[in-house]
Structures are given as structure tokens and as C-alpha cells.
Amino acid sequence: MDRRAFMKSAGAGMLVAGSGLAWAQSTTRALPILPLTDLIGGIEDRISLALMPSGHDFGTGAKSQTFGINHDYLGPVLKVKQGQTLPFDVTNNIGDTSTIHWHGLHIPGDVDGGPHQEIEHGFKWTPDVPIVQRASMNWFHSHMHGKTAQQTYKGLAGVLLVEDDASLSADLPKTYGVDDFTLILQDKMFDAEGKMAYELSAAVFEDGFEGDTLVVNGAIAPVAQTVPTGLVRLRILNACNARFLGLSMENGPITVIASDGGFLSSPVDAESILMSPGERYEVLVDMKAFEANALNVNLNGNGGGFFANLFGGNQTTTALSLTRSATKGFDGAMPTQLANLEPPRPDEASVTRSFQLEMDIGADLAALALAWDNFCGDAGAMAINGQPMKMDRIDEEVRKGDTEIWRISVDDQLHPFHVHGCSFRILSQNGRPPPAYAAGWKDMVHVAEGWSEVLLRFDYDAPKDAPYMYHCHILEHEDCGMMGQFTVS
Ligand code: C2O
Ligand code: CU
Ligand code: CU
């Protein structure tokens, strides 16, 4: 029995929408190049981001109901430079209250776009966002408390690339859409008509929403792209609600050059990398070495769980296939040195805080799923340190400029933990040193067993009425209360 048949027969409480694997396998599509807004040369006007309802064909032939930011699904790729201030005009016309959070940016709480900076339908939010940090791949998405999962799934997400003098002059591929690609990876569920589906159930509350179809930049995988001979750069965001993705190359190792918050000290070759929702990695593909290559994604990147084990595990899909053309592209060699990355200095920490992520704190998840009409609200079925997220409760107060160690642990399954307002270094992940590709600047850490520890420092203010968040980035867990708030002053 295949997964879909099983889920149908499993009946009540299970999501039965999918026929996605069939959609996925039928065709190879061209890689959609997300529209680029390149502001490196200067910013003359305010930057408009219009949140709106729309329709989008993922490749099934049917128009799904989506949200988009200036586009019918997802937002533009914004390319900006360290030292700029970004004057945003974010208008919301989705018919519901929303927010736009700048995930990964080192910015004060009042422009962070978290749950306290709500934009009502028909209104405009006009933050001036200062870019002080080093070159890094960041993103923006809805952070509307209780509805983050639903709104982000529908398309309220985009990429924000920060460049700096070093990255702009680095000997790396940087011609957008030619040898430098931005990839937004998501998993979707489609109904029998080919329309994107999102339904909450008890199972979804447990694991978060997982679709069976991989989508790249809004097109059902596999997608294909012809590239010049030479090095090709892929800047990859896992924008799934809940799914961990295992990434590898068809030929050769996967060569990682940057993580969430910036470049690694030198390229790291790995057999595969595990990417949680919210994480970003940049990789280089050597198209001199192979005529063709492909980025493969294992949808059971988290090592399985119930369904994976039941159906025999490894579900690997080609996300992007690359074919070399005769055109000469970026001519440089694989870099040996990327950035000056000092080892983390835990001895500098003056404060240690502990966070325990908790599931199912006494609420009936199945009942919740039905009652809440596809959103969690203040249901509070999940918690951190025994407290479900409350908008009017500050959980931690941090002193600006202090170096701190945060120790995060969980009761059972794997959770990706994210902190606003900073990049941090992972000291240990599940009781072990992080893999080399995750040893640089991060704002996400995996927490499954033992302690995960990060070393962080906050340099900007986050007052009581505009606190930062820390949370599980499985969006259904976050919506359900696995989130807390902290001030910095
Ligand atoms: Cu990407 Cu608080 O979020
Ligand atoms: Cu964030
Ligand atoms: Cu979680």
C-alpha cells in the first residue's frame, strides 16, 4: 500500500489531500528565477512590498489560491549592501492581519517585524531597516502569531541577500540567474484537482505540516537549468513549514560555503547536509568537473519518523538538475579561504539560560485542530519552560552587549530552534560539536537529544512593546505556543 492509500484508509484525523508524488514525477520544468530587486547600486525610493491574495500554478495546471509579495506567489529576492538603510513600505491587502519579519537580520526589535508589529488589512507598515551585518542570506516571512504557518505556506515569504565589500569583490560566481541562483525549497500538498492544500489535524500538530511534493521557487520539482562551464553558486532556503531536508549532489560531495549568517572560513565538503525549516546554506557546484549534476533532496531528512519507517525510508527527489552549456561562465577556481572566522569563545559568556521545548502540555490536539479552523491561535498546546507563548508576557530580559550561552533541550522529537536579533555560533548540537558546515554563523540550531548550546550576543534594543522572539521554526509548533519573548536593553 502506498503512502496515499494508507493515509486515506487511515481515515479520521489524517490528512488525505495528497496526490503529490504523481504530480512530482510527471515532468521536468524550467527553474523559475525569482524576480530580483537589486539595490546594491543605491536606493532612491521607498521599497514597496505589497502583500496580496493571488493565484498561482505550481505546475499542476490548476490555479492554487496563494498569497504573494509583489508577485503571485512568494516575494522578490532583495539584494542589498551592508551600510544601507532599507526604507520599506509594506502594504497588507491579504484580507487578514499579518506581519513581515526579517529573519536573520541584526536589527532593533521595533523594526524586526515580529508578532507585535501587526499590519492590519488595508494598512501600511514603514520600517527603516538598517543593514549592519556581514554578507549573508536572510529571508522574510509572515510572523502573525497563530497564523504564521498558514500565511507563510500560502506564500508570504521572500529572500533578502546582504552583500558587503568583501563578498562583492570575492572571487565567486555572482551573476544572478546565470551562475548564481536563489532556491526556495518547500513541501506542498496538492488535492486531486492540483490545488495547494493545507489542513490541520492531530498529526499535523504533532509533526507540523508536511507535504509530499517538493516545490522549488514555486514550481513542482524536478526543475532544470542550463548553466555555463565553471562554478555555479546555489543560495538555498528551506522554507518548509515543518520538513527537514537532506541535501546532496548527484555527483560528488555537496560543497558548502556559507550558512545562515555568513561565509564559512573555507568550503566544507559533505556527503549530505541536513537543513531544518528556516535554515539557509550556500553551496558551490563545479560544472567543470561534471557535464551534468543535480541537487537531490531527501524528504525524510530528519531520518524518518513514523511514515518514513513504515514506507521504507529514503524518499529522495531531484530538486534541480543542472546541465552544462558551452558558454564560458565564472572562471575562477574553487576558493580555499572565504572568511576570517574566529572560533567561538564560550569563556566570554556571563549568563547562561536554559530552554526546554515541550509538546502536548495537556491539550487535546485533535480537538484543537478541528476547533481552530486551520490555525492555532493562542491555543497553548506547546510551550517553552512550561509556558505557552503569551503576547503580553516577557520571558527573558537580556542586557545589551552581554555574551550569553543558551542551552536548549527537548522532550522527544527534533525541533529547529531560532533566535531573533542576532547570529550565533553553535557550541554543541545534541550534545556533540556541530557538523563543519554548521560551525559558522547561524540563527538556527537543531535540538533532538541532550543539550544544544549556542553562544550569542545582542547589540540592539528590543523594548517591552517590541520584544524579540525565540521559537521552534516548525511553524505549527510556533503558532501553538512553542515560542517565547525577550527584551534587550
Ligand atoms: Cu523565521 Cu521568528 O522566524
Ligand atoms: Cu527570525
Ligand atoms: Cu518544534
Side-chain angles (χ1 to χ4, degrees):
M1 190 157 49
D2 66 20
R3 174 189 166 123
R4 186 180 170 212
F6 173 81
M7 293 182 82
K8 281 207 153 140
S9 70
M14 309 293 288
L15 184 73
V16 293
S19 55
L21 289 174
W23 296 117
Q25 283 155 1
S26 50
T27 340
T28 297
R29 299 168 176 87
L31 169 69
I33 306 296
L34 297 167
L36 175 71
T37 302
D38 189 343
L39 299 166
I40 299 283
I43 301 170
E44 263 133 51
D45 297 309
R46 298 195 68 80
I47 307 161
S48 297
L49 295 179
L51 281 47
M52 55 199 185
S54 192
H56 177 75
D57 181 359
F58 289 86
T60 62
K63 275 223 152 135
S64 297
Q65 276 188 16
T66 53
F67 291 149
I69 304 175
N70 298 357
H71 302 284
D72 67 4
Y73 180 70
L74 301 173
V77 173
L78 303 175
K79 197 182 235 200
V80 306
K81 196 178 165 194
Q82 184 183 42
Q84 289 178 324
T85 295
L86 311 180
F88 284 112
D89 277 353
V90 185
T91 50
N92 173 15
N93 282 301
I94 65 164
D96 198 355
T97 309
S98 191
T99 85
I100 286 294
H101 163 58
W102 317 104
H103 179 138
L105 293 192
H106 305 180
I107 50 178
D110 61 353
V111 293
D112 187 51
H116 291 269
Q117 281 113 50
E118 290 184 355
I119 318 166
E120 278 175 58
H121 171 76
F123 281 78
K124 183 161 79 175
W125 180 51
T126 58
D128 289 316
V129 176
I131 303 297
V132 295
Q133 69 208 82
R134 66 187 73 79
S136 49
M137 179 181 187
N138 304 281
W139 66 301
F140 47 99
H141 61 80
S142 162
H143 216 303
M144 179 65 207
H145 188 43
K147 295 188 177 177
T148 296
Q150 191 194 78
Q151 293 186 354
T152 304
Y153 184 79
K154 281 190 98 172
L156 293 189
V159 164
L160 194 157
L161 304 175
V162 173
E163 302 286 352
D164 58 20
D165 285 326
S167 74
L168 288 171
S169 61
D171 203 18
L172 287 171
K174 39 177 106 80
T175 311
Y176 187 82
V178 175
D179 56 22
D180 179 358
F181 298 93
T182 292
L183 306 178
I184 301 185
L185 306 182
Q186 295 173 298
D187 59 338
K188 298 288 178 197
M189 195 67 95
F190 292 98
D191 65 18
E193 288 166 19
K195 294 189 175 157
M196 182 171 76
Y198 182 81
E199 281 172 52
L200 292 184
S201 65
V204 170
F205 276 99
E206 280 295 333
D207 298 336
F209 180 88
E210 296 195 328
D212 56 11
T213 303
L214 182 69
V215 166
V216 183
N217 294 354
I220 291 176
V223 293
Q225 174 69 37
T226 303
V227 292
T229 308
L231 292 181
V232 169
R233 181 178 187 174
L234 307 177
R235 312 197 200 207
I236 308 169
L237 161 67
N238 177 346
C240 296
N241 276 24
R243 202 182 264 285
F244 281 69
L245 303 173
L247 270 56
S248 59
M249 299 306 299
E250 181 75 29
N251 295 310
I254 185 162
T255 302
V256 184
I257 59 167
S259 57
D260 303 336
F263 286 111
L264 303 176
S265 53
S266 55
V268 169
D269 281 351
E271 199 181 313
S272 68
I273 63 175
L274 181 61
M275 253 185 121
S276 78
E279 282 187 302
R280 292 88 65 207
Y281 283 108
E282 285 188 37
V283 312
L284 287 181
V285 185
D286 184 353
M287 294 302 291
K288 272 186 198 145
F290 300 101
E291 209 169 304
N293 210 336
L295 175 70
N296 291 331
V297 173
N298 188 328
L299 294 179
N300 301 322
N302 53 352
F306 175 69
F307 283 110
N309 295 336
L310 194 66
F311 299 111
N314 279 0
Q315 188 189 324
T316 297
T317 305
T318 297
L320 169 66
S321 54
L322 297 169
T323 311
R324 179 170 84 191
S325 73
T327 335
K328 240 178 132 197
F330 173 79
D331 210 22
M334 188 63 79
T336 49
Q337 168 82 29
L338 294 160
N340 245 332
L341 206 57
E342 304 290 331
R345 295 280 306 272
D347 53 302
E348 287 175 354
S350 51
V351 181
T352 300
R353 297 175 202 266
S354 298
F355 301 90
Q356 167 87 18
L357 312 185
E358 291 151 316
M359 310 260 296
D360 306 351
I361 54 160
D364 179 346
L365 293 171
L368 274 177
L370 294 177
W372 287 81
D373 187 25
N374 282 343
F375 85 99
C376 252
D378 248 351
M382 303 197 185
I384 297 178
N385 290 342
Q387 307 268 22
M389 157 79 183
K390 280 277 173 276
M391 290 287 284
D392 57 4
R393 187 193 65 238
I394 298 296
D395 299 282
E396 304 287 335
E397 292 172 4
V398 169
R399 234 178 47 199
K400 187 156 72 173
D402 278 1
T403 298
E404 302 202 349
I405 292 173
W406 287 18
R407 314 182 76 198
I408 311 111
S409 66
V410 298
D411 45 9
D412 54 5
Q413 73 181 70
L414 178 54
H415 302 267
F417 189 78
H418 168 55
V419 185
H420 288 208
C422 68
S423 298
F424 55 64
R425 301 289 292 279
I426 300 176
L427 299 175
S428 73
Q429 187 161 274
N430 305 327
R432 292 178 293 276
Y437 63 80
W441 290 107
K442 296 281 299 160
D443 51 56
M444 305 275 327
V445 62
H446 303 177
V447 192
E449 51 188 275
W451 290 99
S452 287
E453 283 189 341
V454 299
L455 185 71
L456 25 64
R457 197 184 74 201
F458 300 94
D459 292 324
Y460 311 96
D461 288 299
K464 265 204 197 76
D465 60 350
Y468 289 134
M469 305 290 133
Y470 52 83
H471 57 89
C472 175
H473 219 287
I474 291 177
L475 299 182
E476 289 78 13
H477 291 179
E478 169 190 337
D479 278 344
C480 260
M482 199 179 282
M483 179 157 72
Q485 316 194 92
F486 66 105
T487 56
V488 176
S489 60

